[in-house]
Structure formats: C-alpha cells, structure tokens
Amino acid sequence: MCLSPNPGGEPQRRADPPANPAPQALTPRQRRERPRYNHHVRSPIPARWVAIVVFVFAAVLNYLDRQILATMVDIWRAHQDFAFTYDDYGLLLSVFSIAYAASALFVGWFIDRVGLNRGAAWAVALWAVASFGTGASHSVRELVAWRVLLGISEASAIAAVTKAVAMYLLPRERAVGQAMSQLGLSLGAGIAPAFAVYFSYRYSWHWAFYAAGLLSLAWIPMWLATARSIAPVAPLAAGTATHSFGLLRDPRLWALMIANALGMALYSLWANWAPTYLVRVQHLTPPEASHYTWIVPLAGYLGALLGGAISWRLVRSGHSPVAARKRACFISAVFLLATMAVPMLPNPALATAGMSFSFFWVCAWSTNHYTLPIDIYGAGRAAFAGASLVMAYGVMQSLISRPLAAVIENYGFAPVCIAFAWLPILSYLLVHLAIADNSGSDVIRQSQIAESAPSTY
C-alpha cells in the first residue's frame, strides 16, 4: 500500500499497482476480448441474477420439449397409436444427437456473431416449431424429421446459457450460474414425465408437444423485455467474435470435448432411460414411473448447486478458476463410482435413490466442466466454446444410443452401469493432463482487476 494526500491534506490509502500489469502482456486480440464489467447495476439482489433466472427458464423449456419423448415411449407402446419399439426410440435419440452435434459449432458461432438476444430468440422459435411438428406426427418417419429440426435448434441452448453466464456474471459466480442453468435442465426433465402423462391421458399425446411449443413461444418476448431492462456486466457487441472457429486449433478445446463425451455418457443414461429403467426392471407402468422419475432431475439440480459451491469456495481459498473446476470434477468422479451398485437395488424407491445419487454427482461434475471454456476463452467466444462441448455430447449420444438400446433390451442395465461408472474418472484424467491450472490467466487477471475497481454509482 502507498499513501497519497486527499484534498483535505490527510493521507489516504491507495492500492499499489500490480507488479506485472496485465495489459502490457496481452496481445491485441486479448485486449479486444478482455471483459469490461458494468458496475452501474444497483439492486439489493444484483439484477444480473434476475436476468440469469429468466434465461434459465429457456433451459426448462428446452429439456421439457426434449424429455417428453422419454415418457412417451412406453405410452406409445401401451396405446399402440402406431408401432413403436425401443429400437425406434434409439433411432430418434441417434438422429436428434447427430443433428445436435453437426449444427452445434455453427449455432455457437451464430450466437457469438449476432448477439445473445437475437440468437436465442431465433433458436427458441425454431424449437417451438419442431414441437408442434412432433405433436402432429403419425409415424416414426415423421418423428425422425421433426427430431432432426429439434436437434438443430436445441443445440443453441447450452451455447446460449454459457454466453449469458459469461456476460451477466463475474468470474467467481460462473460455476453457480452454470448450476442455475442445470436447475433449468433438471426442472424441465423433472416436469416432463408428469406433463406428458397429464396431456396424454386427459387429452391426447399430441397435446403434450403442442403445449410445450406454446410455452416456448411465450418465453421470447419475456426474455427480450428482460434484456432491455437489465444490462450485462460484460457487454459484447454483436459481430466481435468472427474468429471463433480458430479455437479448433487449440488442443485444450479438443481435450475438453473428448472429456465431455466420456463424462456425459452417464448423464445421457439417466436423462434418457430413467423411466424405462423403472418400467423394465421394476415393472412399473408409465404413470407409476412418473411418480418416481421427477426425483432424479431434482437431485441433479442439487448436485449442480453443490458442484458450483465447491469450486466457488476453492476459488475464494486461492485456487485459480481452472484448478477449482478440475478439483470439483475429481471429487464428483470418485462418488460416481457408486453407480455400479444401482442395478442391485431391489425396489422402485431404492432404485430411484440410486439413480438420483448418480445423477446428483454427474451434474456436479458437468457444472464445473461446462464452466471451464468460459474460464479459458472468455465471454467473446463463450457460445462457440460451449457449443463445442455440446457437439461432443451429441456425437457421443448419436454413437451410443442404438447400441445402448440393444444392450438394455438383451442384457439389462447392469453392464451399462458398471462400464459408465468409470468414464468420469477417465474424463478428469484427460483434462488434468491436458490443461494447466493457470490456463486463461490473462483473462482472469483482467477480470480480477475489473472486479476490484470501485463502482461509480
């Protein structure tokens, strides 16, 4: 600390300048991309969190649209509205995932290019159309076409949330912000079984998809009004990230993508097959299973919050953000080894508890893994970096969906749980070896300097 006189003549403490001022060490590109935080937002609860809550509602709708299908599988098989098998379900998951993966990078680039608000509005409108089309389908062939469109549009969800977290939250808050997005996914997945059963048994299964599409359309004006009222803390002009595809030359991004494909296999298992597990293994009907399956995504949300809290505490204790995320991922991966015990649980309540425990820790893992691209690459390319993980998830799910359906049909869930339980450990080892703890340090130092600057309000 050093002393400087104030106008009244008394000495006043002033912070010493950093020993190695970061701006001199930055390239011109890094100077353009460094965060410029807006400290003019005044509220007892920071308004940026209100914006994140509204944006998270889009994630609710995203997973509601997507997960209705998981419950509809056994409803279609029971009612015989048209011939439908588990292999057909594996096909729908596969084509959705191929479209999801193939479009992810372009969708991420598009959101970085046109801006968060326009990009998100177009994407949500498109997946609402896909929901209406799914509801109007009368054959597997028609379902395939609409699931392709849904995959293309919903590839935007994680990319858009990642960019919203990067723009509206400070670095120490980001993992909790990603946990908030997990709340949206968990609520959507938790609501979907009861939502599908309610409309299917009270009206018709078509209306489950129509209602989801209408809710999605209603979100668009709500978000645009929120965005006009609440300024981001790190505003970015549209069109400033046209070089996003250059990230594909960075081996760290490829390490994150491969690690995501490994770790998210377990997420995909419980997100898509939990209702089927209770129907097939515990011999419940779809309505009976819906009384249990809502607990699994709720546990996922709680796990995401814990995962965000772990890395927040580690950052506050002196770890770099990347080191904190990595350690939180390791803790989660160790607990996920317990997934091997799920097939041994003897009744629906215990089986649901086992699936919930596994989903709890895989969401704690994913919250931190999906925050790593923001820590490393910053807000300017956050949508593209997040979309790269989306692409990896989509490729993985497209490759495993039909073989997984065949294994479950012929051998049950036991071999799947045993094999998948080890994948998060492999994911952690890859990230730990490929990405240094101080990755993204230039962006982090700029963020810390901006956070320490006094507010002008």
Side-chain angles (χ1 to χ4, degrees), residues 94 97-98 101 257-258 260-269 272 370 389-404 420 423:
S94 182
S97 301
I98 291 170
M257 292 164 64
I258 295 170
N260 198 57
L262 292 171
M264 290 295 283
L266 198 51
Y267 183 99
S268 177
L269 174 65
N272 294 306
Y370 274 86
L389 302 190
V390 170
M391 184 187 77
Y393 175 78
V395 169
M396 173 274 296
Q397 189 164 260
S398 67
L399 292 176
I400 72 168
S401 290
R402 298 192 78 179
L404 182 60
F420 282 18
L423 296 181

Side-chain angles (χ1 to χ4, degrees), residues 37 48-49 52 164-171 173-174 176-177 233:
Y37 291 105
R48 59 183 179 271
W49 287 104
I52 290 295
V165 167
M167 291 176 62
Y168 280 90
L169 299 181
L170 300 173
E173 302 168 334
R174 287 171 180 164
V176 175
V233 296

Side-chain angles (χ1 to χ4, degrees), residues 148 151 157 230 246 280 356 364 366 421 434:
V148 168
I230 302 174
R280 179 180 174 84
S356 298
S366 67

Side-chain angles (χ1 to χ4, degrees), residues 171-202:
R172 65 176 181 269
E173 302 168 334
R174 287 171 180 164
V176 175
Q178 289 286 33
M180 292 286 291
S181 72
Q182 185 63 53
L183 166 64
L185 302 182
S186 299
L187 284 177
I191 293 169
F195 192 91
V197 166
Y198 174 82
F199 282 98
S200 297
Y201 285 84
R202 182 174 289 267

Side-chain angles (χ1 to χ4, degrees), residues 354-415:
M355 291 189 291
S356 298
F357 183 85
S358 180
F359 203 63
F360 178 98
W361 285 108
V362 79
C363 289
W365 173 88
S366 67
T367 292
N368 286 282
H369 190 79
Y370 274 86
T371 309
L372 282 167
I374 306 174
D375 296 327
I376 297 170
Y377 300 112
R381 293 177 287 181
F384 185 89
S388 69
L389 302 190
V390 170
M391 184 187 77
Y393 175 78
V395 169
M396 173 274 296
Q397 189 164 260
S398 67
L399 292 176
I400 72 168
S401 290
R402 298 192 78 179
L404 182 60
V407 170
I408 290 171
E409 186 80 54
N410 294 303
Y411 304 103
F413 282 83

Side-chain angles (χ1 to χ4, degrees), residues 255-445:
L256 288 172
M257 292 164 64
I258 295 170
N260 198 57
L262 292 171
M264 290 295 283
L266 198 51
Y267 183 99
S268 177
L269 174 65
W270 300 130
N272 294 306
W273 292 94
T276 300
Y277 182 91
L278 293 175
V279 170
R280 179 180 174 84
V281 178
Q282 300 296 331
H283 310 294
L284 302 182
T285 65
E288 289 171 340
S290 70
H291 294 311
Y292 290 94
T293 50
W294 65 270
I295 301 171
V296 178
L298 176 61
Y301 165 57
L302 297 175
L305 278 182
L306 179 63
I310 290 171
S311 63
W312 187 332
R313 184 174 182 82
L314 289 171
V315 170
R316 289 175 65 91
S317 68
H319 290 74
S320 71
V322 170
R325 315 301 182 212
K326 287 164 63 175
R327 181 165 294 190
C329 286
F330 174 72
I331 293 169
S332 302
V334 170
F335 279 105
L336 283 168
L337 293 174
T339 303
M340 292 185 285
V342 171
M344 305 176 201
L345 300 173
N347 58 57
L350 289 176
T352 302
M355 291 189 291
S356 298
F357 183 85
S358 180
F359 203 63
F360 178 98
W361 285 108
V362 79
C363 289
W365 173 88
S366 67
T367 292
N368 286 282
H369 190 79
Y370 274 86
T371 309
L372 282 167
I374 306 174
D375 296 327
I376 297 170
Y377 300 112
R381 293 177 287 181
F384 185 89
S388 69
L389 302 190
V390 170
M391 184 187 77
Y393 175 78
V395 169
M396 173 274 296
Q397 189 164 260
S398 67
L399 292 176
I400 72 168
S401 290
R402 298 192 78 179
L404 182 60
V407 170
I408 290 171
E409 186 80 54
N410 294 303
Y411 304 103
F413 282 83
V416 177
C417 291
I418 292 171
F420 282 18
W422 290 95
L423 296 181
I425 287 284
L426 295 178
S427 172
Y428 164 76
L429 290 174
L430 176 57
V431 171
H432 182 69
L433 294 173
I435 300 175
D437 287 353
N438 62 352
S439 295
S441 58
D442 285 337
V443 173
I444 292 164
R445 280 198 298 270

Side-chain angles (χ1 to χ4, degrees), residues 132-147:
F132 293 133
T134 303
S137 298
H138 293 88
S139 69
V140 174
R141 181 177 297 180
E142 292 177 19
L143 288 172
V144 166
W146 290 113
R147 296 310 279 187

